[in-house]
Amino acid sequence: MSGAPQQVVLSWSGGKDSALALAALRRDPAIEVVALMTSVTREYERISIHGVRRSLLHAQAAAIGLPLIELALEPQCSNDDYEAAFMDAAGRARVLHPHATTIAFGDLFLEDVRAYREALLRRAGLTGLYPLWGQGTRALAHEFVASGFVAHLVCVDTTQLDAAFAGRTFDERLLAEMPLGVDPCGERGEFHTFVSAGPILAAPLDVVCGDVVLRDGRFAYGDLLPRT
């Protein structure tokens, strides 16, 4: 008789790489994803870095059918503050899911990011899992679209990609218009996405992009809203 599946918490940004990681993990009968863990900025009530409203994050998690563990950050968060918040969230995850000693990430190829995560996980007594690691980002981007996922670009780093891409749907047309040098999955921080529909969601979220706002003279945020 085979043993019980390995319980895993997934680091969740709400974007396409997280969605692809969840889809990959759910295809593996040896893995059971038991919760999502997301960084949220307290005062703004938004997903950290991505800028998506917390209410949409909660609706997304409900459509996925997994509990959400929030990693609460201050607006001006130092690295020490982030690590303390991570340890707190990891501790709460262990209380809720004592057998979940692994956190999975949707990282693709940045070795320094993975090394940082591994060091942090060791401090927390946890291990890491990277189901997408080393896969070609162009192939992954096209796979995402072909699988029926729907996502919007919610944050664009205008030093790497034109602000006109903010708010756009992540589709084949966008991939065809992506400038050379920009990673198709935005792995170097060129852009961030929010997934509103696809095979991991029981029902789509009906969203529309509102205003695009430039912050810090650099980041163009496309504010997603529930369609009324």
Side-chain angles (χ1 to χ4, degrees):
M1 179 181 294
S2 61
Q6 177 187 2
Q7 292 192 351
V8 171
V9 173
L10 175 60
S11 178
W12 181 259
S13 70
K16 58 176 180 43
D17 296 343
S18 292
L20 285 169
L22 179 56
L25 292 169
R26 281 182 163 176
R27 288 194 297 267
D28 187 344
I31 298 290
E32 178 191 5
V33 180
V34 295
L36 307 174
M37 182 184 291
T38 306
S39 297
V40 175
T41 304
R42 281 196 181 97
E43 289 183 21
Y44 301 151
E45 290 289 294
R46 292 177 184 264
I47 300 175
S48 302
I49 309 297
H50 290 220
V52 174
R53 293 166 185 261
R54 187 164 169 254
S55 57
L56 284 179
L57 168 65
H58 282 235
Q60 186 189 51
I64 290 169
L66 286 172
L68 185 66
I69 299 167
E70 293 186 351
L71 198 162
L73 303 175
E74 299 299 332
Q76 303 301 322
C77 178
S78 69
N79 199 56
D80 287 345
D81 291 338
Y82 168 78
E83 292 181 4
F86 178 87
M87 293 297 177
D88 174 72
R92 285 184 281 119
R94 290 297 300 275
V95 170
L96 294 170
H97 306 284
H99 299 293
T101 59
T102 298
I103 298 182
F105 299 88
D107 297 319
L108 303 175
F109 62 75
L110 294 177
E111 295 281 359
D112 57 337
V113 172
R114 179 165 175 167
Y116 173 77
R117 297 200 197 285
E118 289 295 319
L120 194 57
L121 289 168
R122 283 194 295 272
R123 286 171 49 194
L126 301 168
T127 58
L129 182 63
Y130 306 85
L132 306 180
W133 187 260
Q135 296 188 38
T137 56
R138 184 163 299 282
L140 276 174
H142 289 290
E143 175 190 330
F144 178 85
V145 176
S147 297
F149 283 104
V150 177
H152 291 80
L153 272 63
V154 290
C155 178
V156 168
D157 180 353
T158 62
T159 67
Q160 303 187 74
L161 185 63
D162 193 277
F165 281 84
R168 286 187 55 178
T169 302
F170 188 88
D171 55 17
E172 290 293 346
R173 179 181 174 186
L174 180 137
L175 288 171
E177 296 174 5
M178 196 78 73
L180 292 175
V182 173
D183 185 81
C185 286
E187 181 67 351
R188 298 183 183 89
E190 297 98 329
F191 61 88
H192 302 286
T193 57
F194 181 81
V195 174
S196 59
I200 62 168
L201 279 73
L205 307 180
D206 193 6
V207 297
V208 61
C209 187
D211 295 336
V212 174
V213 179
L214 187 69
R215 301 286 187 194
D216 302 323
R218 176 175 178 177
F219 297 103
Y221 290 93
D223 190 17
L224 280 190
L225 304 164
R227 193 188 303 271
T228 55

